[in-house]
Amino acid sequence: MQTTAPESIGAKPPAALTPNPGLTPMMLNHAAWVTPDAAATTDFYTRIMGMELASTVLDDSIPSTGDDIPYFHIFFRMQDGSTLAFFEAPGVPPPAKASHPAYDLFQHIALQAKDRAEVLRWYEWLKSQGVEVIGPTDHKGLILSIYFHDPAGVRLEITTPLDVEWNRHTEKGYADLKLWEDCKAKAKAEGKDVPRALVEMIKDVRRRYEAKA
């Protein structure tokens, strides 16, 4: 008798892809991380970053799951009302080291400045306070950014748009996504190294952009 694979028992067919019914988040309420030192984090975000201490929570368990982890939760408010938040939970071990440098570079939060001059003011201010800063970096005329870390090791970016339509390139975005996915699929089908194939594709696209310039 043929046995049924365990993973197929009780399996349901994939749900049909349904269009979004018109729900889009209004704004960022908060993004949260763990900090080993709430006091140092407070000094950094209030004194260095100029944010207001907005709200705090003390609890001995996680409301959403019931996990018994005592913590101090603290929020810092920006000009538009959105906040950055942190948890200090003594006894929680330090996070494991990332398996690749890309995780430490790609994972970050970008905070918007008014204009190029303000980005440069941020650069000078952070440097004067002993904060190590990378940049300013011009991202191909899209945005201008500087990068640094807070006391908890969170990578932060201060940025300003150089292209006023920087977040309105939807059609190009879908075209680039197709190019990316097609390149990956072709490389896999031909047994080629996917990152190497992507590098070659990106170089070809760059050459075409430069030829139009």
Side-chain angles (χ1 to χ4, degrees):
M1 183 176 71
Q2 186 177 6
T3 57
T4 303
E7 60 268 21
S8 67
I9 296 175
K12 296 180 179 179
L17 296 178
T18 306
N20 183 283
L23 292 170
T24 302
M26 292 173 57
M27 60 177 281
L28 174 67
N29 182 284
H30 71 277
W33 296 267
V34 173
T35 176
D37 189 336
T41 293
T42 298
D43 176 69
F44 182 85
Y45 282 96
T46 57
R47 187 177 63 83
I48 301 295
M49 300 302 295
M51 299 183 191
E52 290 285 340
L53 196 165
S55 189
T56 56
V57 177
L58 293 163
D59 210 337
D60 59 359
S61 64
I62 309 299
S64 58
T65 64
D67 286 88
D68 293 324
I69 305 173
Y71 66 87
F72 178 58
H73 195 16
I74 189 165
F75 297 78
F76 303 98
R77 187 178 65 251
M78 291 179 276
Q79 291 186 38
D80 72 345
S82 60
T83 62
L84 301 184
F86 293 85
F87 293 88
E88 183 183 340
V92 172
K97 183 176 176 58
S99 58
H100 190 280
Y103 290 101
D104 295 324
L105 295 171
F106 292 155
Q107 296 181 151
H108 69 284
I109 186 161
L111 308 175
Q112 186 159 317
K114 181 174 63 176
D115 52 26
R116 179 190 291 267
E118 191 165 276
V119 172
L120 299 180
R121 284 183 62 202
W122 273 105
Y123 175 85
E124 296 298 337
W125 164 244
L126 292 166
K127 294 283 284 186
S128 76
Q129 298 303 299
V131 178
E132 186 176 343
V133 184
I134 296 174
T137 302
D138 184 328
H139 293 275
K140 298 180 172 60
L142 192 70
I143 57 174
L144 179 74
S145 304
I146 59 173
Y147 299 89
F148 53 101
H149 291 84
D150 79 353
V154 176
R155 192 172 198 237
L156 298 170
E157 174 184 356
I158 295 288
T159 188
T160 193
L162 300 177
D163 172 3
V164 294
E165 295 292 317
W166 77 274
N167 59 353
R168 293 288 186 268
H169 299 303
T170 304
E171 185 176 343
K172 179 181 179 296
Y174 279 114
D176 285 349
L177 177 62
K178 184 178 188 307
L179 192 66
W180 181 264
E181 291 298 316
D182 287 351
C183 181
K184 288 194 302 180
K186 185 173 184 291
K188 289 175 183 177
E190 295 176 353
K192 294 181 179 178
D193 180 77
V194 173
R196 186 174 299 172
L198 289 168
V199 167
E200 290 304 314
M201 179 270 289
I202 292 166
K203 286 181 177 178
D204 180 59
V205 170
R206 186 180 297 133
R207 282 192 293 268
R208 281 185 277 158
Y209 284 159
E210 290 172 350
K212 292 179 181 178

